[in-house]
Amino acid sequence: MNFDTVIIGGGLAGLLCGITLTARGQRVAIVSRGRSALSFSSGSLDLLSHLPNGEAVTDLHAGLARLADLAPMHPYALLGPERVIEYAREAQRLLANSGLVMQGHIEKPHFRVTPLGRVRPAWLSPQEVPVAPSPGVHVGIIGIEGFLDFQPALAAAGLRRLGVTATAHEMSLPALDILRDNPSEFRAVTIARVLDDEAQFAPLCDALHALSQEHDVLWLPACFGLTDNRVWTRLNEALPGKVQLLPTLPPSVFGMRMQTLLQRQFIKNGGIWLPGDEVLNTTVSAGRVNALWTRRHEDIPLRPRHVVLASGSFFSNGLIAERQGIREAVLGLEVQQPERGNWTRDDLFAAQPWQHAGVRTDNTLRGWQNGERLENLYVAGSVLGGFDAITQGCGGGVCAVTALHTARQICAREDLQ
């Protein structure tokens, strides 16, 4: 099977790259092992909240310029501040065109509220997610009886520590009784499959009406809205007070919605989605990847002109940690990593050196195999090295920015041919 581009990995980076390339008329296939880390995310995306030295980033332009000195192998440093900002703006447009209208602004991060009532800086968040409220606002935190993945009392306590008036409540919805009988099935996603049903809107609205009169705003766990925000919009139209949603423990409704809508856009553009599959073997000659063999198509190789590795980090098995070191799992690309004895620090809550491990690339995001740069192999997303997605608050941004840079490199080379 011949393709212009084959993308290994169906998460945020792989999908944004695929959507961009298919919009340019390319024949693109995405090989996806299963649900990506995106389905387990909060649905909010970070761009850059802290520098490697721990300094908070309040001015993105200045922060990106400083990053080049502090972490020259960070993907942002390889691309340069102007490109990072340009790609971030483009990513926001792509998300909106795929049905994901987000709140947030590239120049000024907002502070989203976490399920524990704390605040975290973010670049983009779903419209439903609350930002840090004013001290005078009375917030009602509404849990669902028997739902253990969201604790309204903990969220309310966290808000009160921030000086916000918050009260915890629980509601009972009879339609969920069948799920409540099996705690392992009583999760946000399974609840959403019930509450997204049109027949459940009136009971949900009735359960919230009195509470909405008592508070300025109600915050609920994100247990509806798997494919759109229709239920949330209708609740805000029907109730006297405002309703907002907090992400729950994974799998996340917001993350799964992002995965679903981006995947739908990729297929709508003409992309080929190969689910439940993985690359088992590759043929490389003369510095190029010529063929990929997958588990489900082992007798029929995929023959691409370009390959994008967006296989994810340790969580997605794109990177594998072994006794002797960390390796890239698909092509055996060269990995930048600390010495084996320096993977961790004694302080559990400190930034850990192993988080910086990942594939080494140049500023075109092409990787090396056995000392040779592969001319048609690009790397994007969290499989890259040189950054700490958690402590630097840049995971979603790195995925989006490197995906679009990779797509641009491929398109530029196609235009020259």
Side-chain angles (χ1 to χ4, degrees):
M1 291 186 286
N2 296 324
F3 295 94
D4 296 312
T5 302
V6 170
I7 299 171
I8 304 170
L12 180 61
L15 283 165
L16 287 177
C17 184
I19 289 170
T20 303
L21 293 174
T22 50
R24 290 286 300 268
Q26 280 211 8
R27 177 172 165 79
V28 181
I30 291 181
V31 181
S32 176
R33 293 181 59 187
R35 289 209 171 271
S36 72
L38 189 58
S39 296
F40 298 85
S41 74
S42 67
S44 292
L45 302 178
D46 301 329
L47 190 56
L48 182 64
S49 62
H50 289 84
L51 295 175
N53 61 6
E55 180 184 341
V57 174
T58 56
D59 182 314
L60 180 61
H61 297 266
L64 289 171
R66 182 88 172 105
L67 187 64
D69 296 327
L70 295 174
M73 294 306 295
H74 193 292
Y76 289 169
L78 293 177
L79 303 188
E82 295 79 11
R83 282 177 171 171
V84 171
I85 292 170
E86 178 188 355
Y87 292 138
R89 291 190 174 119
E90 184 179 343
Q92 188 163 349
R93 290 192 294 270
L94 277 178
L95 292 170
N97 291 338
S98 301
L100 291 155
V101 181
M102 313 280 275
Q103 60 176 317
H105 193 281
I106 187 174
E107 304 290 352
K108 184 175 176 58
H110 61 280
F111 287 84
R112 66 177 180 91
V113 181
T114 74
L116 292 178
R118 299 181 180 180
V119 294
R120 287 180 58 88
W123 163 36
L124 298 173
S125 292
Q127 289 181 310
E128 301 98 310
V129 172
V131 298
S134 302
V137 174
H138 187 189
V139 180
I141 313 290
I142 315 300
I144 298 174
E145 183 181 347
F147 180 52
L148 302 180
D149 290 351
F150 179 75
Q151 299 295 322
L154 293 179
L159 284 174
R160 287 194 290 268
R161 284 193 289 271
L162 296 176
V164 177
T165 303
T167 308
H169 303 272
E170 280 198 342
M171 64 177 177
S172 178
L173 297 169
L176 301 179
D177 287 346
I178 191 171
L179 298 178
R180 197 176 285 110
D181 292 339
N182 186 351
S184 65
E185 293 296 320
F186 203 33
R187 295 289 183 260
V189 172
T190 52
I191 294 172
R193 294 193 179 107
V194 174
L195 297 184
D196 281 349
D197 187 339
E198 172 67 28
Q200 301 306 320
F201 179 77
L204 176 61
C205 194
D206 291 342
L208 295 172
H209 195 276
L211 292 168
S212 182
Q213 292 177 314
E214 298 174 12
H215 303 84
D216 298 315
V217 60
L218 299 182
W219 290 356
L220 280 68
C223 289
F224 47 81
L226 269 175
T227 58
D228 55 46
N229 62 5
R230 173 179 48 86
V231 174
W232 173 74
T233 300
R234 292 183 64 194
L235 283 175
N236 277 286
E237 293 171 348
L239 295 174
K242 189 174 183 180
V243 175
Q244 293 177 304
L245 306 179
L246 291 166
T248 65
L249 291 177
S252 155
V253 166
F254 291 140
M256 290 188 69
R257 182 202 297 175
M258 184 176 288
Q259 174 84 41
T260 298
L261 293 181
L262 290 176
Q263 182 178 328
R264 183 181 298 170
Q265 184 66 42
F266 171 71
I267 295 171
K268 180 181 177 182
N269 283 2
I272 308 299
W273 182 257
L274 301 177
D277 206 353
E278 59 183 320
V279 175
L280 299 180
N281 195 16
T282 61
T283 297
V284 178
S285 63
R288 294 181 61 86
V289 181
N290 297 314
L292 307 170
W293 278 266
T294 73
R295 181 167 50 82
R296 298 184 65 180
H297 302 85
E298 57 180 310
D299 296 329
I300 307 174
L302 310 181
R303 298 190 181 278
R305 289 208 299 272
H306 310 280
V307 177
V308 177
L309 181 70
S311 52
S313 188
F314 299 95
F315 180 84
S316 303
N317 291 324
L319 297 173
I320 306 293
E322 298 174 332
R323 283 181 181 271
Q324 64 272 25
I326 297 169
R327 65 179 175 88
E328 186 276 308
V330 180
L331 292 112
L333 301 180
E334 294 180 13
V335 173
Q336 53 177 311
Q337 56 187 289
E339 293 184 4
R340 182 63 181 86
N342 297 323
W343 281 8
T344 61
R345 292 195 174 98
D346 292 338
D347 182 355
L348 179 64
F349 298 101
Q352 301 298 323
W354 63 266
Q355 292 275 17
H356 293 261
V359 174
R360 179 174 72 90
T361 70
D362 59 11
N363 60 7
T364 66
L365 298 184
R366 282 180 284 185
W368 278 267
Q369 183 189 68
N370 300 323
E372 179 182 38
R373 191 179 75 165
L374 301 181
E375 293 303 311
N376 68 336
L377 184 282
Y378 299 85
V379 187
S382 53
V383 71
L384 287 163
F387 71 103
D388 185 331
I390 297 174
T391 61
Q392 294 169 12
C394 62
V398 166
C399 287
V401 165
T402 57
L404 298 184
H405 184 67
T406 295
R408 181 172 294 184
Q409 301 302 303
I410 292 172
C411 290
R413 296 186 73 179
E414 287 290 297
D415 291 341
L416 292 175
Q417 293 179 358

